[in-house]
Amino acid sequence: SELVDQVPRRVRKIKLPRTNPQAWTPDEVRQLVKTCQDTPEFTAGGTSKAAFWTSLVLTAWDSALRLGDLLAFEYAWIPPGGRLTIVQSKTGYAQNVQLRPITLEWIDKCMANNPSRRCIWPLTSRREEFYKSFNRLVRRAGIRKGTFRWLRRASVTAVDCLERGAGTDQAGHRDRGITLRHYVDSEQVPMLRPLPPEVA
């Protein structure tokens, strides 16, 4: 080129500002669960939509599992007491899961119409239809617009608020930095460290 004497050897990348991961608060998740429970329709397979969505949302909240792992979740995997280990399909890392009794009750309701079904939440349509149905539930709940991923973030953030650092285990991560960068909504985390002494 006539404009420069030498071709640049390296082009510096522009570093984008890091944004805070957004997650629903426990109150918003509670409102979403209530909306799921009040859903009167049935799925194409005859399963109650209230049982389908309530059990799925509660399991996502208890476990912080990714949607792909939830959709592959088999009923036979759940032992008495609801404590199990899931190998994450994305990372191959083991993740300990504890499901509450109320979650197990809703899972049983979801399976009641077809107890021999292998997966608890099989998709009867394309993923896009699943997302649209979930977005309708979010709108009906009157909470902030967010994707299904917000449930995983909400679960991880809520656990990290209760005990700093525990959100990393909840997410099944080995790197605390990934948890903080992509999952913990820092606006919800209280400042747990003390202030320095007063100087004025």
Side-chain angles (χ1 to χ4, degrees), residues 20-96:
N20 178 56
Q22 288 189 300
W24 286 310
T25 65
D27 284 341
E28 287 175 305
V29 176
R30 197 171 289 115
Q31 184 59 38
L32 178 61
V33 169
K34 184 177 183 305
T35 302
C36 292
Q37 292 171 337
D38 293 340
T39 303
E41 301 92 354
F42 288 83
T43 66
T47 301
S48 158
K49 283 192 176 182
F52 179 94
W53 285 110
T54 303
S55 61
L56 180 58
V57 169
L58 286 176
T59 302
W61 174 251
D62 286 355
S63 68
L65 287 172
R66 294 179 179 87
L67 179 59
D69 290 326
L70 289 167
L71 295 180
F73 201 118
E74 297 186 21
Y75 189 54
W77 293 350
I78 305 176
R83 182 174 177 81
L84 65 154
T85 300
I86 299 287
V87 177
Q88 302 173 76
S89 59
K90 181 178 179 179
T91 63
Y93 299 156
Q95 181 174 348
N96 293 325

Side-chain angles (χ1 to χ4, degrees), residues 1-6:
S1 173
E2 297 178 358
L3 298 178
V4 294
D5 296 330
Q6 294 180 341

Side-chain angles (χ1 to χ4, degrees), residues 104-125:
L104 297 174
E105 287 178 23
W106 278 101
I107 289 175
D108 287 341
K109 290 178 183 178
C110 183
M111 294 293 295
N113 185 59
N114 188 356
S116 61
R117 188 172 69 233
R118 189 168 58 89
C119 292
I120 304 171
W121 305 284
L123 289 188
T124 56
S125 60

Side-chain angles (χ1 to χ4, degrees), residues 97-158:
V97 170
Q98 175 67 61
L99 301 178
R100 290 185 173 90
I102 186 65
T103 303
L104 297 174
E105 287 178 23
W106 278 101
I107 289 175
D108 287 341
K109 290 178 183 178
C110 183
M111 294 293 295
N113 185 59
N114 188 356
S116 61
R117 188 172 69 233
R118 189 168 58 89
C119 292
I120 304 171
W121 305 284
L123 289 188
T124 56
S125 60
R126 295 169 63 88
R127 258 302 168 107
E128 290 75 11
E129 290 303 315
F130 173 91
Y131 294 138
K132 288 178 182 177
S133 297
F134 182 74
N135 290 339
R136 283 194 292 271
L137 281 171
V138 171
R139 286 195 298 271
R140 283 170 53 189
I143 60 179
R144 285 176 296 160
K145 183 179 179 180
T147 64
F148 195 88
R149 185 177 298 175
W150 279 43
L151 277 173
R152 177 167 159 82
R153 291 181 192 160
S155 176
V156 172
T157 298

